[in-house]
Amino acid sequence: MTDPLHTDLLELAQEAARRAGALLRDGRPADLAVAATKSSPIDVVTEMDIAAEKLITGLIAERRPDDGVLGEEGAASEGTSGVRWVIDPLDGTVNYLYGLPTWAVSIAAEQDGETVVGVVTAPMRGETFHAVRGRGAWATGTWDGERGLACRPAPPLDQALVSTGFNYVAEVRAHQADVAQRLIPLLRDIRRGGSAAVDLCDVAAGRLDGYYERGLHPWDLAAGDLIAREAGALTGGRPGKGPSGDLAVAGTPGVFEPLQRLLEDFGAWHD
C-alpha cells in the first residue's frame, strides 16, 4: 500500500532538489571561491553550498515546519513530527569548484529514524534518482519519463568495477591509498568519482558493481543508500553493521560480500 505521507515527502524532496540543482547549475559565479574549510585546507565550502542549503531548508520550513533537519552546512533542528530531513546541498564540492560535472544535491527524509525517501539530482548529468522505501528506485533524465533501476548481475570479483573516495585528512588518505593499492590487483579497476551520492546511484543504475568509502557522514549516505538498496544492491559497513563513518560499502549481491570481507581484512575502517 502506498503511504500518502511518503508520497508527499518524495514530492517535496524532488522539488527542493530540483530548485537547488538549478541554483547551483545556473548561479555558479565565474569567480567562485572557497568560503570556508572544514576538516582540512582542502575540505572546502563555497558560497553556493551555503546558498543551496538555505534554499532547501527554507522550502522545508515553509511546507513542513514541524520536521527536523540535519544539513551538512550547519542546519540542525530536532522537530516534533517524527520526520527528519538529511541534506547534502552540494555533494562533490571540489568537483563543483573546479567545474567538473560530477556533483549532486542529496535529500533524504527519515521517519522515526528510518530513511523512507531519497532523492539525488545530478544537474550536469541531466539525471535525478529517487526511491521510496518498498517502492523501488527510479531515474529521470534526458530520456522521456521514468525508468526503473536495477543493479548489475554480479561478475566475478576480478571483473568488478568498484568506486571509492578519499578523505581530506592526509593521514587518512594515506591509509585509504594503501587499501586501494591492495584491492586494485583483485578487481577489474577502481574509479574515483568525487561524489558519494552519485557513486551510490551509479551502483543502483548498474554502472558500477560496487562502492566503498571511509569517513562519510549521514548526509553523504542517506539518500543514495536507500536508492541503491531499492535497486537491489546490498549496503552495509563492517560485517554485521550498517554503513557508517567507519565504513560504507554497497554492491550488487555477489560482489558486496567478498568486497566487504576484503575491506575488513585490509583494515579499511576507522582506527
Side-chain angles (χ1 to χ4, degrees), residues 115-158:
T115 305
V116 295
V117 166
V119 174
V120 173
T121 187
M124 303 308 293
R125 298 194 348 177
E127 294 180 313
T128 297
F129 304 86
H130 72 266
V132 176
R133 185 185 64 189
R135 288 163 50 181
W138 303 83
T140 58
T142 53
W143 57 90
D144 291 332
E146 290 184 334
R147 63 181 176 89
L149 299 179
C151 59
R152 291 170 58 88
L157 189 64
D158 63 2

Side-chain angles (χ1 to χ4, degrees), residues 13 23 88 105 128 135 188 202 218 233 269:
L23 171 70
D88 193 337
V105 179
T128 297
R135 288 163 50 181
R188 181 187 294 275
D202 280 344
W269 62 92

Side-chain angles (χ1 to χ4, degrees), residues 178-202:
D178 290 340
V179 172
Q181 182 179 28
R182 296 177 70 181
L183 274 177
I184 285 173
L186 307 178
L187 305 171
R188 181 187 294 275
D189 206 349
I190 284 182
R191 295 287 182 265
R192 197 278 196 252
S195 165
V198 173
D199 281 344
L200 287 162
C201 290
D202 280 344

Side-chain angles (χ1 to χ4, degrees), residues 64-70 75-85 110:
R64 295 186 56 86
D66 297 327
D67 291 354
V69 173
L70 175 66
S77 62
E78 291 296 326
T80 58
S81 67
V83 171
R84 182 176 77 157
W85 298 86
E110 299 174 340

